[in-house]
Amino acid sequence: MKILGIDTSCDDTSIALVEGRKVLANCISSQDATHKEFGGVVPILAKREHEKNFPLVLEKALATAGVQPHDIDAIAVTIGPGLAPSLEIGVTKAVQLAQEWQKPLEPVHHMEGHLWSALAADAHGEGGLDPDTLTFPALGILASGGHTEIVLIHGWGKYEIIGETLDDALGEAYDKVARMLGLGFPGGGKLARLADEGDASAYALPIAMRQSGDYNVSYSGIKTATLRLIREITNTGERTLQDQEMKDVAASFQNAALETLLGKVKKVLVEYPVSHVLLGGGVAANTVLREKLHQTLAPTGAAVAWPYTFSLCQDNAAMIALAAQLHFQHNYHLKLEKLDRRPQWRLDDFSQNVLSSAT
Ligand code: KG4
Ligand code: ZN
């Protein structure tokens, strides 16, 4: 099947074409320049930009894939979770296109897209985890700017969140610490690059929720401790951080933040031995997270997979079209009375509303 995917859940307008698990086009129009001066995403500006960019991104996606509307078998759209005004544009445009082109419309949960993004392959079918090799239960680790979730995957369409953040998402914590260091917004990627040149043991920052007895994580304590550390080093702003100090603070923060998550993953694997772990979301681009996860899994024998390219880690529509492919292939679809945006929508809520499912 050739599926056109649409994702406008936050501040990127993305349209993709996917055939099976081959990504024929994955076009993403970033709004970073629009939101930068505000230090965060401004929903009403995001909506305006989505509206403006949508036709351009659509044209580019069709041209890149070399596909005409009549070649398309279905349209997939993110209906949630995300920013309501942003989601609204994607859903409205998807409904219009489905009517105009007379195609079935498949609603997709944004986090289900991130969950399966490691299965995506390039246009020639190279890269990505072959779903035929996947065994259930599997474990999903989702870390983005809006979510941090540890998901037990019982089967296609059967997801159970067994751990999640109690406050900030991991990517959000990276962005907030990046702002403290004057790296701009969104600074998570820049902070990670600084950390690569720093000493992670330079400063001791707390690893959170170690004794909580569950699989949840928290980042607000680490964030506050990092702010306190910066104040201490700079004598409450009397001097600026030197280059090496910046790198060491970044590396020490990263170490505490990642160890917090991986400590929980280690515990999960004791209770739920799985053979596959799938990593997804913007923070899945982080090379230290990938290395640490690899080390964490080594003694268990579980294999880890992450998206084969950066654009599949960040918000993108290829993962949405891919999730829809899986819906059709494994025959599970959402039971919806009305197709509408769902800004607050949990992944396990999705599982309770599928019409039929196969393992
Ligand atoms: O999945 P995504 O594009 O958007 C959401 O759905 O939230 O994730 C974006 C998040 C941002 O917080 C960004 O700072 C973070 O992912 N991020 C990173 C890296 N690259 C992007 N965080 C840590 N290390 C990176 N290399
Ligand atoms: Zn996302």
Side-chain angles (χ1 to χ4, degrees):
M1 279 182 91
K2 278 199 181 76
I3 298 186
L4 179 110
I6 297 171
D7 185 273
T8 62
S9 56
C10 189
D11 60 339
D12 291 319
T13 314
S14 182
I15 302 178
L17 276 137
V18 169
E19 182 170 24
R21 59 186 193 96
K22 287 188 206 166
V23 178
L24 308 181
N26 188 18
C27 298
I28 303 168
S29 169
S30 164
Q31 300 179 7
D32 283 354
T34 305
H35 303 288
K36 204 171 220 139
E37 63 175 297
F38 303 100
V41 179
V42 184
I44 200 69
L45 294 181
K47 180 179 175 174
R48 193 191 68 191
E49 291 295 300
H50 282 309
E51 215 153 13
K52 191 177 86 191
N53 295 331
F54 193 94
L56 307 171
V57 183
L58 176 61
E59 198 179 319
K60 193 170 166 205
L62 292 170
T64 306
V67 161
Q68 305 285 333
H70 62 80
D71 301 323
I72 295 167
D73 298 298
I75 295 173
V77 63
T78 300
I79 64 165
L83 293 175
S86 294
L87 290 165
E88 194 180 307
I89 300 299
V91 173
T92 308
K93 300 279 187 193
V95 169
Q96 282 168 2
L97 286 179
Q99 271 170 5
E100 189 184 326
W101 295 345
Q102 291 293 297
K103 307 288 176 189
L105 182 55
E106 184 68 12
V108 174
H109 192 292
H110 181 79
M111 299 312 289
E112 195 196 14
H114 279 304
L115 192 65
W116 295 128
S117 53
L119 306 186
D122 69 13
H124 308 287
E126 303 288 332
L129 177 73
D130 179 353
D132 292 341
T133 66
L134 192 62
T135 52
F136 297 121
L139 196 69
I141 301 173
L142 302 177
S144 68
H147 296 84
T148 304
E149 292 168 355
I150 301 177
V151 182
L152 199 57
I153 311 171
H154 295 285
W156 302 109
K158 294 178 179 169
Y159 316 123
E160 183 188 353
I161 299 173
I162 54 172
E164 61 194 309
T165 183
L166 300 181
D167 38 61
D168 290 347
L170 181 53
E172 188 181 2
Y174 266 84
D175 290 337
K176 286 181 176 168
V177 171
R179 196 178 314 160
M180 291 174 201
L181 294 175
L183 301 176
F185 171 84
K190 280 186 209 149
L191 180 74
R193 283 190 289 281
L194 266 190
D196 284 343
E197 294 172 37
D199 173 5
S201 61
Y203 306 107
L205 288 167
I207 293 165
M209 305 278 290
R210 255 185 171 158
Q211 312 297 340
S212 68
D214 55 26
Y215 304 128
N216 293 329
V217 294
S218 159
Y219 290 109
S220 67
I222 300 174
K223 196 183 62 191
T224 310
T226 308
L227 182 62
R228 211 177 299 132
L229 171 67
I230 295 170
R231 287 196 178 135
E232 249 170 56
I233 305 172
T234 61
N235 207 2
T236 321
E238 278 190 17
R239 70 169 180 87
T240 51
L241 286 177
Q242 289 165 4
D243 269 8
Q244 193 55 46
E245 286 169 340
M246 288 255 280
K247 292 171 182 170
D248 290 348
V249 168
S252 302
F253 158 77
Q254 171 161 276
N255 184 60
L258 297 183
E259 287 301 331
T260 296
L261 179 62
L262 292 166
K264 293 303 169 100
V265 171
K266 214 178 272 177
K267 284 188 180 155
V268 166
L269 291 168
V270 174
E271 194 176 343
Y272 304 98
V274 296
S275 24
H276 282 99
V277 176
L278 305 176
L279 179 64
V283 192
N286 189 291
T287 48
V288 178
L289 171 57
R290 291 176 177 188
E291 267 164 42
K292 280 179 179 281
L293 188 55
H294 204 75
Q295 286 162 11
T296 305
L297 297 181
T300 73
V304 60
W306 47 71
Y308 83 88
T309 182
F310 173 68
S311 58
L312 286 162
C313 294
Q314 63 180 124
D315 284 348
N316 70 91
M319 67 181 193
I320 302 305
L322 178 65
Q325 295 272 3
L326 297 169
H327 292 186
F328 287 106
Q329 198 179 336
H330 298 282
N331 188 32
Y332 64 99
H333 300 273
L334 272 168
K335 210 169 20 181
L336 288 179
E337 276 166 26
K338 182 173 178 284
L339 190 120
D340 204 357
R341 57 182 167 74
R342 296 184 163 196
Q344 315 279 340
W345 188 22
R346 286 176 63 82
L347 191 57
D348 32 19
D349 207 40
F350 161 91
S351 297
Q352 282 151 21
N353 285 292
V354 289
L355 198 58
S356 63
S357 68
T359 46

